[in-house]
């Protein structure tokens, strides 16, 4: 079976096939994931939007770091990495734009934060609420070991201070791009994860991107159904020195 080849071939744009499909605006999927109001919500520290290290130096110093001390990261560090990955940077009448680009401005990627050791936060699975820069506690408990097992036994996910799981809500992108949406979600996630990695360097933290994992197991940890929403990428963040 050559699923990858099929995916690449079937999602090609061809001049003779790209007909003028009009978009059904009434059926446009919502851009944000919400949770019942009774779940605990944690405001994140106000992000620093102007400081941080110079870009070229951050690029020079970013490296995939896999050996973390089991130490706590500050709440400010967590806030800074989340905002850099997906924070809102521009609000217009009908739209909100973020730190990372997104195909068609459709923002199909959700961010979950699996906290192992962050000052002021209990360990658990949290969801990042983009428009209000806050975390909702979805499940309390230490899921670091379970996440490491789901990631083919990569221990850095257990030792990390927190891990970010990026999932795709595919309908948001399919609404416009149909099958080609599958190409774009991975590009969106790449931009987001790189922002997180550079922010980690700016905060004096180490990070590593993670693509090797058992999909079903990670989906279960974040509470995704694996079809309408599925995990596609992760980033571990921790203390290295
Ligand atoms: C899509 C993708 C998936 C990756 N998956 C893993 C992974 O599962 N485990 C890991 O240790 N590193 C993973 N990495 C990190 C790469 O091994 C690393 O980026 C590469 O060796 C280059 O090193 P550098 O990041 O320090 O420049 C991944 C990187 C990318 C871009």
């Amino acid at each position: 079976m050559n699923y990858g080849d099929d995916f690449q071939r079937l999602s090609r744009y061809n001049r003779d096939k790209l007909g003028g499909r009009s978009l059904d605006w009434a059926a446009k999927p919502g851009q944000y994931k919400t949770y019942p109001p009774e779940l605990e919500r944690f405001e994140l520290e106000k992000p620093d939007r102007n400081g941080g290290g110079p870009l070229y130096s951050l690029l020079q110093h970013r490296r995939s770091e896999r050996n973390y001390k089991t130490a706590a990261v500050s709440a400010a560090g967590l806030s800074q990495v989340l905002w850099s990955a997906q924070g809102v940077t521009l609000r217009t009448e009908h739209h909100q734009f973020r730190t990372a680009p997104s195909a068609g401005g459709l923002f199909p990627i959700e961010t979950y934060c699996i906290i192992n050791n962050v000052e002021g936060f209990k360990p658990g699975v949290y969801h990042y609420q983009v428009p209000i820069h806050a975390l909702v506690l979805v499940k309390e408990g230490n899921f670091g070991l379970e996440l490491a097992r789901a990631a083919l036994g990569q221990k850095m996910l257990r030792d990390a201070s927190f891990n970010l799981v990026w999932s795709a809500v595919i309908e948001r992108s399919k609404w416009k791009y149909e099958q080609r949406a599958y190409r774009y979600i991975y590009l969106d996630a790449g931009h987001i994860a790189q922002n997180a990695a550079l922010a980690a360097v700016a905060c004096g933290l180490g990070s590593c991107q993670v693509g090797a994992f058992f999909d079903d197991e990670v989906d279960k940890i974040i509470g995704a159904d694996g079809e309408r929403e599925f995990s596609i990428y992760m980033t571990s963040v921790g203390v290295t020195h």
Side-chain angles (χ1 to χ4, degrees):
M1 307 264 197
N2 300 314
Y3 298 118
D5 295 338
D6 289 348
F7 152 70
Q8 193 66 20
R9 185 173 48 79
L10 293 170
S11 59
R12 286 175 80 88
Y13 271 169
N14 293 308
R15 283 187 181 279
D16 46 344
K17 279 201 222 132
L18 192 66
R21 186 174 77 92
S22 61
L23 294 176
D24 181 356
W25 288 90
K28 185 172 187 284
Q31 200 169 80
Y32 295 116
K33 186 162 182 175
T34 55
Y35 285 87
E38 57 269 24
L39 291 192
E40 230 179 323
R41 203 175 84 179
F42 298 83
E43 306 295 333
L44 289 158
E45 289 192 17
K46 209 166 179 271
D48 176 0
R49 292 164 179 258
N50 295 303
L55 178 63
Y56 303 149
S57 152
L58 298 177
L59 288 167
Q60 175 61 41
H61 290 105
R62 185 211 59 81
R63 197 83 289 136
S64 290
E65 308 272 4
R66 302 176 178 83
N67 295 313
Y68 306 124
K69 299 197 158 117
T70 47
V73 159
S74 69
L78 171 70
S79 166
Q80 218 54 50
V81 173
L82 283 167
W83 177 80
S84 304
Q86 276 290 262
V88 174
T89 48
L90 175 67
R91 292 175 202 268
T92 62
E93 196 185 341
H94 298 295
H95 220 64
Q96 297 186 342
F97 295 89
R98 308 185 193 178
T99 49
S102 172
L106 297 172
F107 301 104
I109 308 300
E110 294 291 331
T111 304
Y112 295 85
C113 187
I114 318 303
I115 292 187
N116 294 336
N117 203 349
V118 175
E119 283 168 8
F121 285 82
K122 39 196 169 195
V125 176
Y126 294 76
H127 178 263
Y128 180 52
Q129 300 274 293
V130 171
I132 56 171
H133 188 58
L135 287 175
V136 163
L137 180 59
V138 182
K139 271 194 288 194
E140 195 177 338
N142 199 321
F143 290 89
L145 181 60
E146 203 174 320
L147 196 65
R149 286 197 182 121
L152 281 56
Q154 300 187 72
K155 291 192 182 68
M156 63 181 160
L157 292 119
R158 180 198 63 193
D159 301 337
S161 302
F162 63 92
N163 297 291
L164 301 171
V165 177
W166 320 106
S167 71
V169 176
I170 191 67
E171 195 51 41
R172 283 191 203 140
S173 186
K174 263 188 176 171
W175 169 76
K176 179 172 184 185
Y177 294 117
E178 300 179 321
Q179 293 303 300
R180 199 170 171 92
Y182 288 97
R183 293 192 183 199
Y184 294 156
I185 54 172
Y186 294 99
L187 297 173
D188 270 35
H191 291 296
I192 295 167
Q194 176 74 356
N195 280 4
L198 293 176
V201 182
C203 295
L205 300 168
S207 75
C208 186
Q209 312 301 352
V210 177
F213 56 85
F214 296 114
D215 304 59
D216 289 354
E217 295 180 21
V218 175
D219 285 345
K220 189 166 163 247
I221 291 170
I222 62 165
D225 65 8
E227 284 184 17
R228 286 186 309 173
E229 180 185 357
F230 44 86
S231 317
I232 58 176
Y233 205 17
M234 305 201 281
T235 302
S236 62
V237 181
V239 176
T240 51
H241 52 264

